[in-house]
Amino acid sequence: MISDMAFSFLGTGSVKAAPVYGCDCIACQRALSNQTYRRQAACGVLEVNGVRFLIDAGYLGLEEKFPPGSLDAVLLTHFHMDHVQGLFPIRWGMGESIPVFSPDDPHGCDDLFKYPGIFDFSKKSLPFEPFHFKGIKITPVPLVHSKLTMGYIVEFNGKRLAYLCDSGVLRRDVEVLLKEHPLDLLILDCDQPPQEKAPRNHNDLTRALDVYKSIQPKQLLLTHISHHLDEYFITHPDCLPDGVAIGLDSQTWTI
């Protein structure tokens, strides 16, 4: 049976990625010796009924991974460099325009709006205003971050997936929406090991698990993982409940 949705991680790292240059922690040493544990910037590919979305674009090497015509659209959460850097080598390419759905951030990143190349940045993602792309329903939801940021809920054929990255404490209206419409798969940023106080711009493990308990998706995948959190996972191998998994680059999940 062919799944309706398949999500593949291209990258699962925080802005520092892994291994961190010059770091000798156990997580970075493991990443140096084993490619499985290397982490590029957080982003992924979602394939829904033959339609392929790039979700964020932090991966370095997109131009080699996706030949012309192989991407139908891009969903951007926000315009921090670690989420858009992969667009820069492609923009001067040839071929059809690629629509980019992104927050209505007038500043964008660097000169992407001034020189968009083959990317069409006219598609604005507005909070709680669903849109359809080739028969697939997509609802942007606002996230708490240092730059205007949207998560995306994607629905097709009765299946629901949400990609929420980067986010501080989840807004109450977003939490209510997600509880009212249960998710099959939630991909959530988790940047740090448990912290005493909630971080401002990302989830730590304590807050990510709080979201899991509250929203109760069938499956939670953690992404945007720092080397500090990887160290914690190495030293606390049984810290995650059933239904929660640590994302790894190149992993694919189907629903």
Side-chain angles (χ1 to χ4, degrees), residues 10-75:
L10 295 176
T12 56
S14 69
V15 66
K16 294 180 181 177
V20 175
Y21 183 73
C23 182
D24 61 359
C25 77
I26 54 175
C28 289
Q29 292 305 306
R30 182 182 66 169
L32 280 170
S33 62
N34 188 336
Q35 294 273 346
T36 302
Y37 298 105
R38 293 188 173 222
R39 298 189 185 278
Q40 282 222 33
C43 61
V45 174
L46 177 63
E47 298 187 64
V48 186
N49 196 34
V51 180
R52 181 179 284 168
F53 298 93
L54 179 67
I55 303 185
D56 278 337
Y59 184 88
L60 296 172
L62 290 175
E63 69 280 11
E64 296 182 3
K65 205 168 194 64
F66 299 104
S70 63
L71 289 174
D72 294 287
V74 180
L75 302 176

Side-chain angles (χ1 to χ4, degrees), residues 9-10 16 48 95 103 107 109 123 128 142 147 181 185-186 219:
F9 282 116
L10 295 176
K16 294 180 181 177
V48 186
H107 303 293
C109 179
K123 317 292 185 184
F128 304 111
K147 197 168 180 60
H181 303 281
L185 182 62
L186 170 60
Q219 178 75 54

Side-chain angles (χ1 to χ4, degrees), residues 148-204:
L148 185 61
T149 301
M150 294 291 164
Y152 293 96
I153 303 169
V154 181
E155 301 177 60
F156 182 76
N157 202 20
K159 301 290 181 62
R160 302 180 83 243
L161 171 149
Y163 186 90
L164 310 181
C165 185
D166 301 5
S167 177
V169 175
L170 205 61
R171 285 173 45 145
R172 179 61 180 159
D173 48 5
V174 174
E175 183 178 8
V176 169
L177 176 66
L178 294 173
K179 291 172 76 170
E180 290 177 345
H181 303 281
L183 296 169
D184 295 283
L185 182 62
L186 170 60
I187 300 115
L188 181 68
D189 71 298
C190 185
D191 192 69
Q192 294 292 326
Q195 305 289 305
E196 186 173 339
K197 293 182 179 179
R200 292 180 58 188
N201 292 311
H202 294 283
N203 288 294
D204 68 337

